Amino acid sequence: VLLSLDWERRFDHMQQHSGQHLVTAIAEQMFGFKTTSWELGRQRSVIELDTPSVTAEQIEALERSVNEKIRERVPVRVRELAVDDPEIETVRSRGLPDDHAGPVRVVDIEGVDSNMCCGTHVSNLSDLQVIKLLGTEKGKKNKTNLVFLAGNRVLKSVEQSHSTEKALTSLLKNGPGEHVEAVKRLQSSVKLLQKNNLNLLRDIAVLIARDFKSKPVRSPLLVLHRKEGDSEFMNIIANEIGTEETLLFLTVGDEKEAGLFLLAGPVEAVENLGPRVAELLGGKGAGKRGRFQGKATKMSRRGEVQALLQEFIGQQSPEA
């Protein structure tokens, strides 16, 4: 049998698993927090602690203590005990399955922890390099999830954070210490611009409606597209014009790809044409009381919709 081992992945799992044993043992010794489960994630790992909360001070003390053990270069050993060995009673575990047979595998962190385990581990805590506790998240059933990184994952996280920091420094034109304030200022500016843009769109919608209504001879069909509009923009136009006699086909968004549409007009006409308009535009919609609106994926077919509406109006006119 030829075996090919992905050592980088294996060593990563060893670091995270041994790191979990260490954090679990020290958390119970220092604060009485028992571990009920843990998850080895692809980027970060999580230990579920049987406590409703963990303070920032406790996290800091726990992180300091586990890294002291790493610096002390504590050995990690694997041994096997007979199932009837009385020493098994002193080993931390969830208990053996009823159908267990054969020896019991125990992982010892010298002077720190003895735990039943079938996983792969480092041979010395120094192989963990460092453990970083990233904080806590609310867990299930009044428990707390402690998020951590061990070994090379800490180095990768620092490298990624530094790359992000460099990119932000270039974009924001200031130092890392000022990034947060710079982003807050940008967010405030964006909110103000969005508000101003919305107000302008509302004003434009009213003006479009008034211009249409002021014409001596009002067309029975209004077709309008505006790239930067939204649903409110279309509905304002429909409200201002009134749709008892006029059929409105309004669209916003990309001229050829995705966007929004509104068909408004006499109730019977909209009920008849709405689903057909949505189908032509490759979209879906719904409506009531003379309005049918929805999302479209093929805005390039607006011309086909206009032709459909003109044909319908032609069929309804007295001359026809």
Side-chain angles (χ1 to χ4, degrees), residues 14 16 24 45 48 70 88 98 104 109 114 116 124 133 146 150 172 216-217 229 238 244 284-285 288 304 306 318:
M14 290 162 60
Q16 309 316 307
T24 287
S45 297
E48 184 184 69
I70 292 172
I88 287 182
D98 294 337
V104 177
I109 302 176
S114 289
M116 290 185 192
N124 192 289
L133 304 182
L146 179 64
L172 300 173
V217 180
E244 292 80 6
K284 295 181 179 180
K288 59 182 178 180
E304 296 177 47
Q306 184 173 348

Side-chain angles (χ1 to χ4, degrees), residues 10-282:
R10 167 63 62 85
F11 187 62
D12 171 60
H13 288 184
M14 290 162 60
Q15 287 185 319
Q16 309 316 307
H17 199 167
S18 296
Q20 176 266 313
H21 275 223
L22 178 60
V23 173
T24 287
I26 300 299
E28 185 169 353
Q29 291 171 15
M30 292 182 70
F31 308 112
F33 298 156
K34 292 186 179 297
T35 293
T36 48
S37 68
W38 85 289
E39 177 190 3
L40 171 59
R42 290 181 179 274
Q43 295 181 325
R44 64 176 199 166
S45 297
V46 178
I47 298 173
E48 184 184 69
L49 298 175
D50 192 11
T51 177
S53 63
V54 180
T55 67
E57 291 76 17
Q58 288 172 327
I59 292 175
E60 182 180 352
L62 179 58
E63 180 179 280
R64 184 166 55 248
S65 181
V66 297
N67 282 295
E68 284 174 358
K69 294 298 180 184
I70 292 172
R71 290 193 297 273
E72 289 172 7
R73 301 184 295 280
V74 176
V76 180
R77 296 188 178 91
V78 176
R79 57 197 173 106
E80 293 184 350
L81 299 177
V83 71
D84 57 352
D85 192 319
E87 190 176 348
I88 287 182
E89 298 299 322
T90 66
V91 175
R92 183 168 57 85
S93 78
R94 298 184 186 180
L96 291 169
D98 294 337
D99 59 352
H100 174 80
V104 177
R105 188 171 185 268
V106 176
V107 175
D108 292 322
I109 302 176
E110 189 176 286
V112 177
D113 185 48
S114 289
N115 185 19
M116 290 185 192
C117 185
C118 60
T120 54
H121 290 269
V122 299
S123 59
N124 192 289
L125 289 187
S126 62
D127 289 332
L128 299 184
Q129 299 166 274
V130 66
I131 288 178
K132 179 60 185 175
L133 304 182
L134 298 179
T136 60
E137 299 171 352
K138 187 176 180 179
K140 301 177 182 178
K141 299 180 180 178
N142 215 28
K143 297 179 181 180
T144 299
N145 293 332
L146 179 64
V147 184
F148 77 95
L149 303 175
N152 290 333
R153 291 194 183 190
V154 178
L155 299 179
K156 290 179 180 178
S157 178
V158 171
E159 181 180 359
Q160 184 178 11
S161 296
H162 183 61
S163 296
T164 302
E165 188 177 273
K166 285 175 63 179
L168 287 173
T169 297
S170 176
L171 290 169
L172 300 173
K173 309 300 182 186
N174 58 16
E178 300 171 308
H179 285 173
V180 174
E181 289 303 318
V183 171
K184 286 181 179 179
R185 288 195 298 271
L186 282 174
Q187 288 178 326
S188 296
S189 297
V190 168
K191 286 180 181 178
L192 181 60
L193 288 171
Q194 287 175 333
K195 183 178 179 180
N196 291 340
N197 184 57
L198 183 58
N199 290 333
L200 289 172
L201 277 173
R202 288 170 178 166
D203 292 341
I204 292 171
V206 172
L207 290 172
I208 289 172
R210 288 178 181 175
D211 178 64
F212 178 81
K213 292 168 67 176
S214 68
K215 293 178 179 178
V217 180
R218 187 182 300 185
S219 171
L221 174 65
L222 172 62
V223 177
L224 177 74
H225 175 80
R226 192 173 187 91
K227 185 175 182 178
E228 65 275 15
D230 57 13
S231 294
E232 185 179 9
F233 171 78
M234 295 187 293
N235 278 292
I236 289 175
I237 295 176
N239 291 338
E240 290 289 327
I241 291 178
T243 57
E244 292 80 6
E245 299 177 359
T246 307
L247 191 60
L248 308 178
F249 174 52
L250 309 175
T251 54
V252 296
D254 193 293
E255 289 88 345
K256 296 182 179 180
E257 300 295 335
L260 305 175
F261 71 91
L262 169 65
L263 181 69
V267 175
E268 187 176 345
V270 172
E271 288 179 351
N272 178 30
L273 295 167
R276 296 165 65 186
V277 169
E279 184 179 359
L280 278 174
L281 296 175

